[in-house]
Amino acid sequence: MLAGLCMVLVASVLYLLIRRLDWFVILLRIFHGVGFSLFILAALLIVVLVVREDLRAYALGVVATGFMLPLLLVPAVGEEIIKRSGFFSFFLFAFFFAAIPLIFVFLLKFKLPQEGEDDGLASVGFISLLRQKRMFSLFLLTFIFEVALSASFSFVPLLAHEGVSMRAGYFYTSLGLTAVILRLLGGRWLRFWGSPKLLLPAFYFMCAGAVLVYLSKSSGTLALSGVVWGLGVGVLYPHLSALSVEGIGTKNKSKALSLFASSVDLGFALGPVIFGWLSQALGVREAFLPLALIIFVPSTGIILWGGPSLVFPNKDSRS
């Protein structure tokens, strides 16, 4: 975590050196992305190691809420800073914000399980983990989730530009607020929070959200679609991350989380590309219908195929 935060801090300073778009910018973005990924992965791993299993989905949802809140608030603030004071002030703002969690890391003290405290399960490689039907199913489901989410994030603004009465901000705000409220309240009040049985309904909510985006003709309908999307997003990220380490020995939890994070990054990177092909062939609005099918069909098939392995993590279900 410390290494990741230091990399983000350094990247915030190096952005001030940008004078034109060249290889330096590409390398800096990669450096920044690696640091951010290290921080996210370390934060998730700490939660997995210190929180007991029955509360893990709720705890991961709370942490994921912390990741989502800046996405709701900071872009508007950053845009205002750039308009008023320029990019130099903006990157100084980013630097000071990156320094806050770095200070907290030095102040926080907690005990992590040591290797000797493991449950006796041997350490295995990434390929061995992926060969387990449960882990492979969760890897694919996470990929589908992120493909759909990144596609909506990237292309809803283009759809909104088609109609004067539509504003993409309504979609983002309603999605984010719904996901945040569901994560904070669901784990506290719903007894079945954390159950793999919530995965399929959550994917169906995202599917319905994609259909509603297709039908949207006003900001109100777009906001409603964001609420429906948010019901799926609010469930899927904490559940998929918690399930990916459930029943996994301490020595392998970091590898399981790495596979989860890799699937997140892969889906988020390929989602706009896949949706871009669809929108070029069909149009932006029309592409949301096949996106709904991309969510519905594979998620249903994978969950049915995964079967008992998703519900019973200790069941040997290698394909």
Side-chain angles (χ1 to χ4, degrees):
M1 177 177 282
L2 185 60
L5 285 172
C6 288
M7 291 175 70
V8 171
L9 205 63
V10 171
S12 301
V13 175
L14 291 178
Y15 280 121
L16 297 172
L17 302 179
I18 295 176
R19 295 294 179 267
R20 61 181 183 275
L21 296 178
D22 53 16
W23 285 103
F24 174 73
V25 177
I26 297 174
L27 293 175
L28 182 55
R29 289 293 295 164
I30 294 173
F31 179 80
H32 192 178
V34 170
F36 187 71
S37 296
L38 286 174
F39 168 71
I40 296 292
L41 188 58
L44 294 177
L45 183 59
I46 289 171
V47 173
V48 165
L49 292 176
V50 302
V51 177
R52 69 176 194 260
E53 196 165 276
D54 60 319
L55 295 176
R56 193 171 289 155
Y58 174 58
L60 287 169
V62 172
V63 172
T65 296
F67 299 153
M68 180 169 284
L69 285 176
L71 295 177
L72 293 175
L73 303 175
V74 174
V77 175
E79 185 179 20
E80 191 64 27
I81 292 174
I82 292 171
K83 285 182 178 179
R84 292 177 177 271
S85 305
F87 282 98
F88 184 85
S89 298
F90 170 75
F91 288 122
L92 283 181
F93 169 79
F95 174 83
F96 286 115
F97 258 75
I100 293 174
L102 186 62
I103 295 172
F104 271 101
V105 168
F106 283 109
L107 296 178
L108 287 176
K109 294 181 180 180
F110 43 79
K111 184 177 182 295
L112 296 178
Q114 300 299 314
E115 199 166 286
E117 301 174 32
D118 201 1
D119 46 20
L121 296 177
S123 177
V124 298
F126 290 103
I127 300 300
S128 296
L129 281 174
L130 271 180
R131 287 177 58 196
Q132 298 176 15
K133 181 184 285 189
R134 173 188 174 83
M135 183 59 67
F136 189 59
S137 298
L138 292 169
F139 183 89
L140 293 177
L141 289 172
T142 304
F143 175 75
I144 294 167
F145 163 59
E146 288 295 333
V147 164
L149 185 61
S150 63
S152 68
F153 278 2
S154 300
F155 285 87
V156 163
L158 295 181
L159 177 65
H161 287 161
E162 293 182 0
V164 177
S165 61
M166 289 199 295
R167 296 290 184 270
Y170 286 91
F171 174 82
Y172 294 124
T173 301
S174 58
L175 187 157
L177 286 177
T178 303
V180 167
I181 292 171
L182 184 58
R183 288 171 183 174
L184 293 179
L185 298 183
R188 184 174 293 274
W189 300 110
L190 300 179
R191 290 186 178 181
F192 49 84
W193 190 260
S195 169
K197 294 179 181 179
L198 289 176
L199 293 180
L200 197 55
F203 275 108
Y204 288 171
F205 273 120
M206 292 188 70
C207 179
V211 174
L212 279 174
V213 171
Y214 166 75
L215 297 174
S216 294
K217 299 292 185 181
S218 66
S219 293
T221 315
L222 207 57
L224 176 62
S225 68
V227 170
V228 178
W229 271 92
L231 292 173
V233 173
V235 169
L236 285 173
Y237 189 93
H239 280 67
L240 289 169
S241 56
L243 290 170
S244 68
V245 296
E246 187 177 337
I248 302 290
T250 304
K251 296 177 182 178
N252 296 317
K253 288 188 186 297
S254 60
K255 296 175 184 177
L257 269 181
S258 294
L259 288 174
F260 168 78
S262 299
S263 186
V264 168
D265 293 339
L266 186 63
F268 210 82
L270 293 181
V273 177
I274 295 171
F275 194 90
W277 291 337
L278 291 173
S279 63
Q280 283 185 339
L282 304 172
V284 175
R285 179 179 297 275
E286 291 73 14
F288 278 93
L289 287 180
L291 179 64
L293 287 177
I294 290 174
I295 301 169
F296 180 86
V297 176
S299 63
T300 303
I302 293 168
I303 290 173
L304 291 177
W305 173 71
S309 68
L310 292 173
V311 181
F312 305 107
N314 296 321
K315 182 179 178 64
D316 185 13
S317 53
R318 293 176 184 270
S319 56

